[in-house]
Amino acid sequence: KAVIAAATGASSAAIISPSTANAAKPNGLILDKSSESGLKWADAKQGTGQPLKPGMVASIDYSMASTVGRQPQIYTTKDKGVPYRWTLGDGSTIAGIELAILGSSGDDNSIPPMLPGGIRRVIIPANLGYQSILNEKDPRCIEGKDIGPIPPKNNSDGGYQRWYQFYCNPRIPYQPDIVLDIKLYGKR
């Protein structure tokens, strides 16, 4: 995003990259909660009912963005009619999403579990994201073949290409944080 700034009476253009500080601005969520793992979160809506447990099937809609790049929005399942589903604890989903849903305990800033119907924004550091893909001998980076969620490759909105560039590109020595808005569904 380009922002025009006035400096000592003259205007100059500055480019501001999305950052973890800016991740909360569009809807006013303040991400002031973080755990020892580095995951930051804020609840936009509290759900109801019982929290999910490992071994149960989770179903979420999510909007994925990055904390870098000119186009931080990567992909969303909202309005696609196909939420992301997996069995909690089966190793098929990045640890940051499982931690956001199941919660944690034991540290000073324990993460409460999400309840069905809840909406939570999380900022996931690389060690809880896709870093494991680049540690593979031959990463495939394809939905259903590597740890997910991965945007569909055949989608025309460019989400897969943006995701690949940030999170499955062996030429980039680091991975930026992932910003996710997660809506947890109950039994579907």
Side-chain angles (χ1 to χ4, degrees), residues 141-163:
C141 304
I142 298 173
E143 181 183 26
K145 305 282 186 194
D146 273 310
I147 196 165
I150 296 175
K153 195 171 187 175
N154 61 354
N155 201 357
S156 63
D157 67 0
Y160 176 81
Q161 289 78 14
R162 286 188 298 278
W163 174 85

Side-chain angles (χ1 to χ4, degrees), residues 1-5 12-18 22 68-71:
K1 294 180 179 179
V3 176
I4 305 299
S12 61
I15 296 177
I16 297 176
S17 296
N22 292 335
V68 299
R70 291 185 309 220
Q71 242 186 349

Side-chain angles (χ1 to χ4, degrees), residues 45-63:
K45 178 183 175 189
Q46 294 286 335
T48 58
Q50 295 298 312
L52 299 179
K53 304 285 183 204
M56 296 176 78
V57 173
S59 181
I60 63 171
D61 270 329
Y62 68 89
S63 291

Side-chain angles (χ1 to χ4, degrees), residues 35-92:
S35 68
E36 289 180 3
S37 66
L39 184 89
K40 295 180 182 178
W41 79 95
D43 287 322
K45 178 183 175 189
Q46 294 286 335
T48 58
Q50 295 298 312
L52 299 179
K53 304 285 183 204
M56 296 176 78
V57 173
S59 181
I60 63 171
D61 270 329
Y62 68 89
S63 291
M64 180 188 294
S66 176
T67 56
V68 299
R70 291 185 309 220
Q71 242 186 349
Q73 178 68 31
I74 294 174
Y75 182 74
T76 184
T77 59
K78 185 181 175 188
D79 303 326
K80 301 272 194 278
V82 182
Y84 179 69
R85 289 187 175 103
W86 79 102
T87 301
L88 289 164
D90 71 359
S92 67

Side-chain angles (χ1 to χ4, degrees), residues 120-139:
R120 179 173 284 177
R121 174 168 287 176
V122 293
I123 298 178
I124 301 172
N127 65 312
L128 296 175
Y130 296 102
Q131 202 168 48
S132 64
I133 289 178
L134 293 180
N135 295 335
E136 295 175 9
K137 183 180 177 190
D138 185 26

